[in-house]
Amino acid sequence: MMNDPNINTSFSPKIGIFWLIMENGVPRFLTDMVSVNEGEQYGDSVTWSGHYDFWEKIRTQKKTPLVSRVPLWSEYEEWPRGRVIFNKKHNHFVVYADKKILTETGKQELTSTFSLPGNQTIFKKDGHYVSVRQITI
């Protein structure tokens, strides 16, 4: 666990990973997130989790209710996805995502879901997160 007194967590922003999935005909975000203080140091940034590991964890759950059935029948890289990190050097959050997610609605949903401060959040397309599914928000 990381504890950095320079990070203001009074508004409880989160970092982590996400997908935009289609479930029962409705697009929704599937997320794995933690507070910034619970994240992992990675250079000048604080990050959390890995897409593949989380997807496989959901896929293999036996005793607890699934947060989504989508991982049972599809692969993690099929869906638009992304990551929220905190850049300590510049004191802001960065949302890296598939461009399909970076609509005004998508940005608003992610800002709300991760409790991100609008004046400290940057959204960036990332070629690493390119999906084959045609889904928009």
Side-chain angles (χ1 to χ4, degrees):
M1 174 165 6
M2 190 196 84
N3 254 333
D4 189 330
N6 298 317
I7 298 173
N8 177 5
T9 59
S10 60
F11 48 85
S12 298
K14 306 286 189 250
I15 57 172
I17 58 174
F18 58 86
W19 290 263
L20 180 61
I21 61 171
M22 185 70 74
E23 195 152 51
N24 298 322
V26 178
R28 75 175 189 94
F29 282 105
L30 175 62
T31 63
D32 182 25
M33 66 178 98
V34 296
S35 70
V36 176
N37 280 338
E38 294 174 275
E40 301 163 352
Q41 188 73 37
Y42 186 78
D44 289 333
S45 299
V46 183
T47 188
W48 177 250
S49 196
H51 286 92
Y52 175 80
D53 293 334
F54 184 70
W55 198 265
E56 289 303 308
K57 179 179 170 185
I58 293 173
R59 188 188 296 257
T60 59
Q61 286 178 351
K62 302 284 186 228
K63 297 179 182 176
T64 57
L66 290 172
V67 295
S68 170
R69 299 200 61 76
V70 170
L72 296 177
W73 57 267
S74 63
E75 298 299 325
Y76 83 98
E77 69 271 89
E78 290 179 37
W79 300 94
R81 67 190 193 279
R83 170 180 302 279
V84 179
I85 65 153
F86 181 75
N87 183 302
K88 290 174 59 175
K89 184 176 182 180
H90 299 291
N91 195 37
H92 64 239
F93 292 86
V94 182
V95 179
Y96 294 103
D98 186 308
K99 66 180 181 178
K100 295 172 189 169
I101 296 173
L102 296 180
T103 64
E104 284 308 310
T105 302
K107 291 176 186 178
Q108 290 171 3
E109 288 286 327
L110 287 168
T111 298
S112 175
T113 300
F114 284 84
S115 301
L116 298 171
N119 62 344
Q120 277 183 273
T121 303
I122 297 169
F123 292 88
K124 293 185 175 187
K125 288 186 295 187
D126 190 320
H128 182 74
Y129 302 126
V130 177
S131 62
V132 296
R133 296 238 175 221
Q134 296 303 316
I135 179 175
T136 56
I137 185 166

